[in-house]
Amino acid sequence: MKHPLETLVTAAGILLMALISVLLLPAPALGLALAQKLMATFHLLDLNQLYTLIYCLWFLLLGVVEFYVLRFIWRRWFSVG
């Protein structure tokens, strides 16, 4: 029988791994011209807002990638029939 909080703990573990990955893997660096263009496009006030959004998107992207990679590995090699 599965534990009722197993899915929650699994998702929390994957998000924790994504957080560690975000801290270890640097987010994409933008050039000044591209950063100013993105600031104008999204009506941001300063670069801190832009890089906060980039950091959050980077975190979500790595979390999604790790979720699907771990799910594939689990289903492929560790799943019991």
Side-chain angles (χ1 to χ4, degrees), residues 1-5 10 12 15 20-22 29 35 37 39 50-51 56 60 62 65 72 78 80-81:
M1 188 167 127
K2 291 177 74 172
H3 191 275
L5 296 177
T10 302
L15 287 176
I20 292 169
S21 296
V22 165
K37 181 179 177 189
M39 284 176 51
L50 177 65
Y51 279 109
C56 291
L60 290 174
L62 287 177
V65 168
F72 171 77
F78 298 112
V80 179

Side-chain angles (χ1 to χ4, degrees), residues 9-10 14 17 20-21 25 30 36 39-40 44 48 53-54 59 67 71:
V9 170
T10 302
I14 290 170
M17 285 182 16
I20 292 169
S21 296
L25 296 171
L30 303 176
Q36 289 176 342
M39 284 176 51
L44 302 173
N48 289 331
L53 289 174
I54 289 173
F59 173 76
F67 173 77
R71 190 177 77 163

Side-chain angles (χ1 to χ4, degrees), residues 2-81:
K2 291 177 74 172
H3 191 275
L5 296 177
E6 182 178 352
T7 55
L8 181 64
V9 170
T10 302
I14 290 170
L15 287 176
L16 181 62
M17 285 182 16
L19 176 65
I20 292 169
S21 296
V22 165
L23 294 175
L24 294 175
L25 296 171
L30 303 176
L32 188 58
L34 180 59
Q36 289 176 342
K37 181 179 177 189
L38 288 173
M39 284 176 51
T41 302
F42 295 115
H43 306 289
L44 302 173
L45 298 177
D46 60 355
L47 280 175
N48 289 331
Q49 287 180 335
L50 177 65
Y51 279 109
T52 300
L53 289 174
I54 289 173
Y55 181 80
C56 291
L57 291 174
W58 187 242
F59 173 76
L60 290 174
L61 176 73
L62 287 177
V64 167
V65 168
E66 287 179 5
F67 173 77
Y68 284 109
V69 167
L70 289 176
R71 190 177 77 163
F72 171 77
I73 290 171
W74 180 260
R75 287 184 176 178
R76 174 80 174 170
W77 289 292
F78 298 112
S79 182
V80 179

